[in-house]
Amino acid sequence: KLQGDIGRFGNVDLSDISGYAELPDGKVISGTETGTLLIWDGGLIRAVLVRPDGEGGAFKPCHDGMIEVVRFDNATKTISTTGADGHMRWWDYATVRDAEPEDDRIEVLIEPVKEAAIGDGAGGLCSVKSIITTEPDHWLVQDANGGIVRVAIGEGGEIGESRQLISFHGGCINGMDISAVSDHAVTAGSDGTVRLWAYAERREVYRSKFCAGATFVQMAPAYVDGSQRTVIAGFDDGVVRILLRCSDGFKIVDCFKPHNKRVTVAKFSPDGSVLATGSADGTVFFLAAKYPKSPPKAPKLPGVTLAPIGFAKAPGGVSALQWHENMKEPKLLVGCETGHAFEMKAPNWKPGQPDSVDSTITFEFEATATHYTFNRPRPTAMSIVESKYPPVGDERDAADAAEKAAIIEQKRVMALEAEQLQKELDEAERIAVYPVKHIGYVPFSGGNFELALGGEAAGKIWECQFGAKDPMRGTKTRQSALTVTRANVSGKLSVQAFEDGTVRVAPSRGKSYWVGAVHDGIYGSVTGAAVTRDDSFLLSTSSDGSFFVQKIGAGLLAERVPATDAEEVTSVAEDPTPAVEDITDPTKYSFEEEKIKLAEDIARAAAEEAKLGVRGYINKLRDEFQALLAENEARPPHDRLPREAFEVDPGIREVVEAETQGKMEMVKAEYAWLKERADLQLKRLKEFFLDPVESERVVLRSFGSGRRSFAVTSFRVAKFSDDLRADIERCHTTELQRKTAGTGARAGLTPGKSFRKNVADEEEEEKVDPEAELMSHGKYAEKRAKRKAREAEWHEFNATKPDPKYENPDDLAAIEEANRTRGDFKLKSEPDYVVSEEDQQFYDRKRRQMLLLEQSVHEIKMEFNRRFLALRAVRKSAVDDVRSSSRRIAEITVELDDADQAEGFEALSALSEPFSATPLADEYPTEFRAAATDEELKAHDEEQKAAAAAASGGGDFGGFGGGGAKKEDKDDKEGDANKSSVKEDANDEYSLAVKDKAKVHPRVSLAAAMPATPFEEAENATVRARLKHERAYLVTKRRQTVASFDAALRAMRREKAELEYELKLAEMKQLTLNRELVMLKKFEQKENELDGRLEESIQAHVNLCNDIERREEDLDAKMTERDVVTAKRDKVIASFDNLVAADDEHHAILFKYFLKKVRRVKPRASDAGSDSEEEDDDDSEYDSEEDEEEFLPEGCEEELYESVLELRERRLDEHYVIKDLNKEIDAMKKELDGVKKKEKAANTVVEKLEVDLENYRLEKQRRLYNDVDVTVMLRSRQLEYLHEGKLPTTLDNGLVFSRETRNSLRRRIDEIIEDKASLREKQAQLRKDFVAMQKTKEEYERRNAGLDARATEVQMFKYGSLIDLEKLEVAMIPKKPVEALKAKLRDTEHANAAEMRQWVQALSDAMDEMHQKTAANTECLEQVADLTRRHRDLERELVSTKKTAFVDPEAAKKRETAERDHLVAVVNEQAREIEKLRNEIGFLSVKGNPHTVRF
């Protein structure tokens, strides 16, 4: 198909293309079905080639009809074309190549170089389908009318005479039948020919062509014509012809037209007395058969004539017929193309019988019929649904409640889906049509019949029964619809044919069959198939025009029927059967039409005759009445009779008026019904065409006319649907969820970042050291404070030193702002192009963009229409003003009586200026839609009268004396013309004013004729001056009004042109957005999946982060609690310093007692309610002298001693609390580390998902930018892309930039150049400052170096080495006594030695036990060995006693040696096992440090 909207201007109609050729320059020339030639350049139509037709630019197509062949001859540089018109034309290639259409049209006029006609060999022109030109002296041409023509070619290439080589059907073969007595077949084609074939000789015998296409053909059965010479043929125009086969052609022995449409089927009754024909017009016609008289007991003579009986209507076009074998009660099965099937009773064809058809008025009769409704067996909806789901068990067998609920839910879903599907299936079945392809009675079945259908019911032959709801059974054939089924002459083979071109032949008995795809599977639906009389050949025809004859092998039928020689037939001239005249008029009436027409003609003639008689009598009475009236008028007034006296019957007027009123009421009722129906139809039309329109197209014209006139139209705007309006409202009222930044758990979070503090950078809490605690008290604290103060001063001083990596915050902010606003001007198709978050494209965002764009376009159109209608209102008021001013100007001109003067003439000229004031229907479509002018009503009446005249048959007598009506119509037209001219005169303002002045009262005229006084003359002069001024003002105002309105309308036209351009861009953008929306929809599912997984991972990560924060808060609280307890302990230590002076002689011993860690007993954690206690198992923190007895030092006060012990208890209380807190803190830190590891893993998952989502979005954006083409409208002045000084041939490498962006880039370049110059100046100044500051720095460094050298010299002179003050302070802290540490070490060694002795003793006991077990085991093994030995000896003695004579001494010796070796191996293995067990026992018996044990 060629679609016209891809043409240059979109004005090329849809057409099929058959012939085309590729030209050397890459273009393609093709033909069309209208006869024009198209020049294709790529995917667009460059030009349409046509031939000139006279002058004035008129043209005609290159050929009349379809162009089938287009060829290019490279040698002669010509293009040859030919087609259905039978003409070959040659065109110059250079002219075709350079064909360029004008701007306002696409057609190009071109003359052929030469042309020639191709004959069909029979005196006519050949309708060329294809042509073979390989031979130099002739061409072979395929004629579309069914032939192959040989065309002679001269030496110079001129076309010579044509000769038909082969003739065949031109088009579809609609029917085929064979003879049962001779090797002949007859076919009927849509080309109007009926052909006789001698299939055994592979030749056509003869053919007859008729005026309409043949649709059905059948040879009369043997009981009708034993010679099988009678052929029944049906045609497209409803004609049935009875043909007689003669030796040299067909003879028409009967011809009649029972139908108005194509004849589809014809069947003789079993007794041959009636022929039933079916047609696509939905009628079954019955005709009585009459045969030539033959001698008694002689076979019937060939030929038959038919007389009409009557017809019955069917629900649809008849497609199949079948008579019942029992003719006592003749019945007929009828199948329709609409799927209806019924059995009807045949009419009685004997006239005068009670049930015969009365054909006096019409041939139609009401037939008694039994209808059958086919109910196609089909699977239930539940079975279809169950096949899509896995098997569902019984809920009673469910393992748990969840499984039971799942089963119930699945069953519920399946039931709902099945219910919906069942409704859809029922609706589809209700509207489905299954055309009947075959119908026939089933023998010996009691009235059952078989039915073959098309459509979804194809593939089976159904056996049905009237009264049964469903078919009884179905025999499977093929999936395609059955078209032919019949048995051969012998009855041994049956043939079935199908729409897919296949033919199936099978024996009547048996299961074997042959099937073959004989014809085309798409266009080759089989229309006829049969097996010949001798079972030797299979004949088949199809709708693609093919006719195949195939020889049947011996596999299907072992025994064949021998063929008998047929009798010779006479020629057409010699045959005695009379011939009839053929029907050649396509408008010939059918039987029913002839009868109706005859009845109408008789009724019309009788009515005319009666009408003429009544009219003559009425004319006589009228003449007598007129004479009486004249006589009465001639009498004197006193002798005259009143008019009422001439009324013969005064009451007849009332009767006539009453009858007339009744008829008027009836007509009003009829017209009221017609009006109601028209109103309903109009309402439906309005609902369909007008209700969806919010603003109609309105035309607004200028006041000028001719070339100065122009018009502007408003926009036709459709209403938004409710769904679209709701979507737009949602866009304005709700925020769409962003794809890149979610809500809830993701709000405010940065992807890939940790959502807590970086605890890895935090310093771990140091354990509390008693020695460090002392640094914060006493004189040590004072020294440390002074040193720290000096360090703080130095740190503050060094902080003022500039950092080499220091960066100015203002510069950093400026850089960040520049990076944020600089824009990314990489191509969107580049792989490194990154789309910003706000520019990310999602399905919802894209749809919202489309909806907002649609709303903006709608609002723009409506706003323009609003101003447009306001301007239309201005035009209406301007028209009123101009009309009133024109009327006043005319009145003033008449009053001044200066029309023949220059000023008056100019004023009247202003009135005659072009001024279109009459509103047209397209200017007020809503207001004028329901209005109708007199001319329109009159034209409608004329159309109704013409239609009524055509329906009544036309002619001179149509309409019962319509000639008088014509005269009246003529008079009416003349009257209308006069009225129109009067109306035009009435519209002339000046003429109207003149007529008004002519109607002045005579007294006024008399006063005007009197001479005027001087005062009156002055007053008249003043009035004339005022009137002239008023007229001049009105003329000026009229022209200004017209000019201003036209200027405003012209401005609106320019505005609309700009708006149309913008709206067209918006439409193109909407198409682009739609393509992007479709692509985004494809990406949406996976993106939502990734986004959902990311949401879940982020939520899990956030939960872990919250858990970490909570644990850190708990840890901080616990550490704060420890700090509080530590502060309490520090207070206790400070109390000791206050209690015992540093220079006290007992300070050392008391301080030792104070720091001593005394073992305490704490309650068991396992049994909180009991009073049992346990000792602390951690002995590492206690002194080795803790068991030594404490005593009061000599000379120390006992109260001081007790106070020190009391302070120690308080310190120990705090110490144990701190210890427990440290354990809890350590446990919390371990748990926190575990949660941090989980958080790190979760963060890794989040980062991976974010990377995957980002990559997927990048791929989506890349596809979106690269795969979706965006149309950009550019003007020539917008192109700044020159290559070597001219525009390149392609713009593939060009970039599209908006002018604003380009100008901003240029401005930014200038700003950067200026900033660069200023920064260079600033850099030069900074370098100067840097050199000066570097010199100052070197001077200070030399000074500091001198001071450092002086300090080192002083320390070396005073102490001999450099002193580290921090180490010195630490060394000054009092330490524990060395003796105490040594005693503790000694006690630890004693304890370890005692434990070692215990383990050695346990090891020795274990070794003794092992030796004892080993000895007992060895003894047992020895006993086993002795018993085994004794058992073996006894066995050997027993065997030797029984078989001494048969034993080989050497063999016995070898057996004993083998047994002994085996026992030795067993004992050795057991010894190794014992040794292995001994080693394991020794190894396991060692505890602690096994490698130090010696055995």
Side-chain angles (χ1 to χ4, degrees), residues 681-697:
Q681 294 174 350
L682 181 62
K683 181 180 178 182
R684 292 179 181 177
L685 290 174
K686 287 182 178 179
E687 290 176 353
F688 186 80
F689 290 103
L690 297 181
D691 289 352
V693 179
E694 186 171 356
S695 179
E696 296 189 34
R697 180 181 179 270

Side-chain angles (χ1 to χ4, degrees), residues 1089-1249:
E1089 180 182 353
L1090 289 174
D1091 195 61
R1093 291 170 55 191
L1094 180 61
E1095 290 282 354
E1096 295 176 358
S1097 302
I1098 288 179
Q1099 186 60 43
H1101 185 237
V1102 169
N1103 294 336
L1104 289 174
C1105 293
N1106 294 335
D1107 190 16
I1108 291 174
E1109 292 179 358
R1110 181 182 56 79
R1111 291 178 180 274
E1112 287 180 344
E1113 291 175 358
D1114 296 342
L1115 181 61
D1116 293 340
K1118 189 65 68 175
M1119 295 176 70
T1120 303
E1121 183 180 357
R1122 187 187 64 180
D1123 294 339
V1124 172
V1125 177
T1126 304
K1128 292 180 180 180
R1129 189 187 62 181
D1130 294 341
K1131 292 181 180 180
V1132 173
I1133 295 175
S1135 300
F1136 176 79
D1137 293 339
N1138 297 330
L1139 182 63
V1140 181
D1143 54 352
D1144 192 346
E1145 60 180 347
H1146 303 294
H1147 182 275
I1149 188 63
L1150 291 177
F1151 188 71
K1152 175 182 176 182
Y1153 289 163
F1154 176 74
L1155 294 178
K1156 182 179 180 181
K1157 297 179 181 178
V1158 180
R1159 186 184 300 273
R1160 286 190 170 188
V1161 180
K1162 60 182 178 180
R1164 293 181 180 271
S1166 60
D1167 191 3
S1170 63
D1171 297 334
S1172 59
E1173 297 178 349
E1174 63 177 358
E1175 295 181 354
D1176 194 352
D1177 55 353
D1178 191 2
D1179 299 335
S1180 60
E1181 296 182 358
Y1182 299 97
D1183 297 333
S1184 59
E1185 299 92 351
E1186 62 181 357
D1187 295 333
E1188 294 182 0
E1189 183 178 359
E1190 296 178 352
F1191 56 89
L1192 179 66
E1194 295 181 359
C1196 180
E1197 297 179 359
E1198 183 176 359
E1199 183 180 357
L1200 179 61
Y1201 178 72
E1202 293 296 334
S1203 298
V1204 170
L1205 295 180
E1206 184 179 354
L1207 284 176
R1208 184 180 68 181
E1209 289 299 325
R1210 290 172 57 191
R1211 185 187 66 79
L1212 289 177
D1213 292 340
E1214 305 299 338
H1215 171 75
Y1216 284 115
V1217 172
I1218 293 173
K1219 180 181 177 183
D1220 295 338
L1221 291 175
N1222 285 335
K1223 288 182 179 180
E1224 293 179 5
I1225 290 172
D1226 293 339
M1228 294 175 68
K1229 285 183 178 180
K1230 290 181 180 179
E1231 294 177 359
L1232 182 60
D1233 291 340
V1235 177
K1236 287 180 180 179
K1237 291 180 180 178
K1238 294 181 181 179
E1239 182 270 338
K1240 186 177 181 181
N1243 191 30
T1244 304
V1245 172
V1246 170
E1247 292 175 353
K1248 184 178 181 302
L1249 287 176

Side-chain angles (χ1 to χ4, degrees), residues 87-156:
H87 287 82
M88 174 80 78
R89 292 185 174 92
W90 287 265
W91 315 87
D92 182 49
Y93 164 67
T95 306
V96 173
R97 179 193 59 195
D98 300 335
E100 186 68 29
E102 298 178 359
D103 294 336
D104 57 344
R105 58 188 297 178
I106 194 172
E107 293 83 6
V108 177
L109 302 181
I110 183 173
E111 288 281 1
V113 177
K114 64 177 180 177
E115 62 177 302
I118 301 176
D120 60 354
L125 292 178
C126 179
S127 180
V128 180
K129 286 292 290 184
S130 63
I131 187 170
I132 300 176
T133 60
T134 56
E135 299 297 332
D137 59 341
H138 70 275
W139 292 347
L140 294 179
V141 180
Q142 179 188 1
D143 190 356
N145 297 321
I148 303 296
V149 180
R150 184 184 187 277
V151 181
I153 304 299
E155 295 181 358

Side-chain angles (χ1 to χ4, degrees), residues 97 117 119 414 586 939 1060 1472:
R97 179 193 59 195
M414 292 172 63
E1060 286 178 340
R1472 284 194 295 273

